[in-house]
Amino acid sequence: MSTDYAERASRLPGAVLWTKGADRTGGGAGGLVLPDGCMDLLWTEGRLLVAGPDTRAFRPGPGLRGPWAGVRFRPGAAPALLGVPASALRDRRVDLADLRPGGEVRRLTGRIDAAPDPAAALEELALRLAAEAQPEDPLVRAVAGALAAGHSVAATAEAVGLGARQLHRRSQAAFGYGPKTLARILRLQRALGLARSGVPLAETAARTGYADQAHLSREVRELAGQPVTALLAA
């Protein structure tokens, strides 16, 4: 499998532009994709797709060797650009033509296929979609920011002035799932970041709000589908 993955901050605020070379083994499009609360606009030759928000680890199937480029939007940002609630795309990869007129998507795909730098052309498309979309809801950003910082769902609801049901409904549309699920996923990402930097697992668990290392291990297995030690080794 190709390992030439690279990413950089996008010109679209809060987004990341990434590229990945072709899988030369023929085994599929690459390794495990962990839940992160985000949605991606994807290009591979001849196709534009959208990756919805994941509730569990996703492993691309065979037949999609790449190369790939993607724009990863910050949590809650993509629905306004795509005109569809995030919950409709949860745990799915769909062709952009399922969400926008097919003729338009064919023209866009051909333009990006022919571009000297398909990743830059994909970023231009994301910038255009953002310019045409309604402004991002500041409440959505506030919810994502509070949960990413480790605040409880109750404290987040109080901070943004929403009741529990309102927060859940708004979160479903913006993030694809309720605030408790988003909080679990963002905590997992914080924990993995610490562990990959060399922080011992017991300390990682304590610093990210897990009851203990065993709790962290259970969450990793449930959300990533494998033991934390295997995930870190990979």
Side-chain angles (χ1 to χ4, degrees):
M1 182 178 67
S2 170
T3 57
D4 51 345
Y5 175 87
E7 64 178 44
R8 66 166 174 80
S10 170
R11 289 185 289 136
L12 182 65
V16 171
L17 180 67
W18 60 266
T19 57
K20 187 181 184 302
D23 177 1
R24 300 181 183 89
T25 69
L32 203 67
V33 179
L34 300 182
D36 58 7
C38 300
M39 294 173 59
D40 291 57
L41 178 64
L42 307 173
W43 167 87
T44 191
E45 189 171 3
R47 293 185 73 185
L48 285 169
L49 305 98
V50 175
D54 292 321
T55 60
R56 57 187 179 273
F58 172 81
R59 189 179 296 279
L64 293 174
R65 297 188 181 187
W68 290 89
V71 177
R72 183 181 308 122
F73 304 103
R74 63 185 168 206
L81 276 66
L82 300 171
V84 62
S87 56
L89 302 176
R90 183 173 54 240
D91 292 319
R92 298 176 63 199
R93 271 67 181 160
V94 302
D95 284 290
L96 185 61
D98 292 340
L99 308 177
R100 300 180 71 89
E104 174 195 6
V105 174
R106 285 191 294 273
R107 288 192 298 273
L108 292 169
T109 304
R111 188 179 306 161
I112 296 173
D113 285 349
D117 184 350
L122 184 70
E123 183 179 34
E124 288 292 340
L125 171 57
L127 288 164
R128 197 196 85 185
L129 293 175
E132 295 173 353
Q134 294 293 321
E136 188 177 352
D137 186 346
L139 185 143
V140 169
R141 289 190 62 182
V143 169
L147 295 176
H151 298 170
S152 70
V153 173
T156 298
E158 183 176 357
V160 299
L162 291 179
R165 290 185 179 180
Q166 290 176 306
L167 178 60
H168 190 272
R169 184 171 62 252
R170 297 285 288 272
S171 295
Q172 286 276 351
F175 309 117
Y177 26 63
K180 290 183 179 180
T181 298
L182 179 61
R184 289 179 67 202
I185 288 169
L186 295 179
R187 181 169 64 171
L188 173 71
Q189 288 292 332
R190 291 197 308 275
L192 291 176
L194 282 177
R196 286 169 176 153
S197 73
V199 177
L201 287 177
E203 183 181 347
T204 290
R207 287 171 59 178
T208 50
Y210 293 97
D212 50 29
Q213 184 176 332
H215 183 202
L216 167 61
S217 296
R218 289 194 301 272
E219 284 286 278
V220 170
R221 185 179 288 276
E222 185 169 342
L223 292 171
Q226 57 181 274
V228 62
T229 51
L231 190 63
L232 294 174

